[in-house]
Amino acid sequence: MTERSLCPLCGGQLEAGTTTFTADFGRGVVVVRHVPATLCTQCGEAWIDDRQAAKLEELVGNARRNGRAVEVIDLAA
Ligand SMILES: [Zn+2]
Protein backbone atom coordinates (compact mmCIF):
# COMPACT_ATOMS: atom_id res chain seq x y z
CA MET A 1 0.00 0.00 0.00
CA THR A 2 1.50 3.32 -1.00
CA GLU A 3 0.30 6.20 1.12
CA ARG A 4 1.04 8.90 -1.37
CA SER A 5 -0.44 7.50 -4.53
CA LEU A 6 -3.51 9.08 -6.08
CA CYS A 7 -6.89 7.55 -6.79
CA PRO A 8 -6.86 5.84 -10.23
CA LEU A 9 -10.47 6.89 -10.73
CA CYS A 10 -10.51 10.57 -9.86
CA GLY A 11 -6.94 11.56 -8.96
CA GLY A 12 -7.95 12.35 -5.38
CA GLN A 13 -5.79 11.84 -2.31
CA LEU A 14 -5.69 8.35 -0.85
CA GLU A 15 -5.48 7.64 2.84
CA ALA A 16 -5.43 4.53 5.01
CA GLY A 17 -8.69 3.58 6.65
CA THR A 18 -11.21 0.78 6.80
CA THR A 19 -14.14 -0.21 4.67
CA THR A 20 -17.07 -2.62 4.77
CA PHE A 21 -16.88 -5.51 2.33
CA THR A 22 -20.00 -7.41 1.28
CA ALA A 23 -20.30 -10.58 -0.78
CA ASP A 24 -23.55 -12.07 -2.03
CA PHE A 25 -23.26 -15.73 -3.02
CA GLY A 26 -26.91 -16.44 -3.73
CA ARG A 27 -28.01 -18.42 -0.68
CA GLY A 28 -26.41 -16.01 1.70
CA VAL A 29 -24.64 -12.74 2.27
CA VAL A 30 -21.37 -12.08 4.03
CA VAL A 31 -20.59 -8.69 5.51
CA VAL A 32 -17.07 -7.99 6.69
CA ARG A 33 -16.65 -4.78 8.65
CA HIS A 34 -13.50 -2.80 9.34
CA VAL A 35 -11.45 -4.23 6.49
CA PRO A 36 -8.15 -2.32 6.26
CA ALA A 37 -8.17 -0.44 2.97
CA THR A 38 -6.91 2.61 1.18
CA LEU A 39 -9.70 5.13 0.79
CA CYS A 40 -10.06 8.00 -1.66
CA THR A 41 -10.86 11.22 0.20
CA GLN A 42 -12.56 12.59 -2.92
CA CYS A 43 -14.78 9.87 -4.42
CA GLY A 44 -14.85 7.45 -1.47
CA GLU A 45 -13.63 4.45 -3.46
CA ALA A 46 -11.95 1.82 -1.28
CA TRP A 47 -8.92 -0.14 -2.47
CA ILE A 48 -8.28 -3.44 -0.74
CA ASP A 49 -4.78 -4.87 -1.09
CA ASP A 50 -4.03 -8.42 -2.25
CA ARG A 51 -3.31 -9.77 1.20
CA GLN A 52 -6.62 -8.53 2.57
CA ALA A 53 -8.45 -9.72 -0.54
CA ALA A 54 -7.09 -13.24 -0.03
CA LYS A 55 -8.23 -13.14 3.60
CA LEU A 56 -11.71 -11.98 2.54
CA GLU A 57 -11.93 -14.81 0.04
CA GLU A 58 -11.18 -17.27 2.83
CA LEU A 59 -13.80 -15.71 5.14
CA VAL A 60 -16.41 -15.83 2.38
CA GLY A 61 -15.53 -19.48 1.70
CA ASN A 62 -15.98 -20.33 5.41
CA ALA A 63 -19.29 -18.46 5.61
CA ARG A 64 -20.55 -20.28 2.55
CA ARG A 65 -19.78 -23.63 4.18
CA ASN A 66 -21.59 -22.54 7.36
CA GLY A 67 -24.70 -22.11 5.24
CA ARG A 68 -26.03 -19.17 7.22
CA ALA A 69 -28.19 -16.62 5.41
CA VAL A 70 -26.31 -13.67 6.85
CA GLU A 71 -22.84 -13.72 8.31
CA VAL A 72 -21.38 -10.55 9.78
CA ILE A 73 -17.69 -10.53 10.58
CA ASP A 74 -16.01 -7.58 12.28
CA LEU A 75 -12.26 -7.52 11.83
CA ALA A 76 -11.93 -4.84 14.49
CA ALA A 77 -13.58 -7.04 17.13
ZN1 LIG B 1 -11.20 8.84 -6.08
Side-chain angles (χ1 to χ4, degrees):
M1 193 194 295
T2 44
E3 297 283 335
R4 267 186 220 155
S5 55
L6 298 174
C7 176
L9 294 183
C10 74
Q13 286 291 331
L14 295 177
E15 66 178 25
T18 61
T19 188
T20 299
F21 169 87
T22 58
D24 185 337
F25 48 84
R27 282 175 47 222
V29 178
V30 185
V31 179
V32 188
R33 305 189 65 210
H34 297 114
V35 179
T38 304
L39 307 175
C40 176
T41 55
Q42 198 160 289
C43 71
E45 187 68 29
W47 309 92
I48 297 171
D49 71 29
D50 290 349
R51 222 184 82 228
Q52 290 299 331
K55 192 172 168 182
L56 289 173
E57 221 166 272
E58 199 185 308
L59 290 172
V60 170
N62 289 342
R64 185 186 282 213
R65 276 190 293 277
N66 285 345
R68 267 189 254 162
V70 180
E71 177 102 24
V72 180
I73 299 160
D74 192 338
L75 294 185

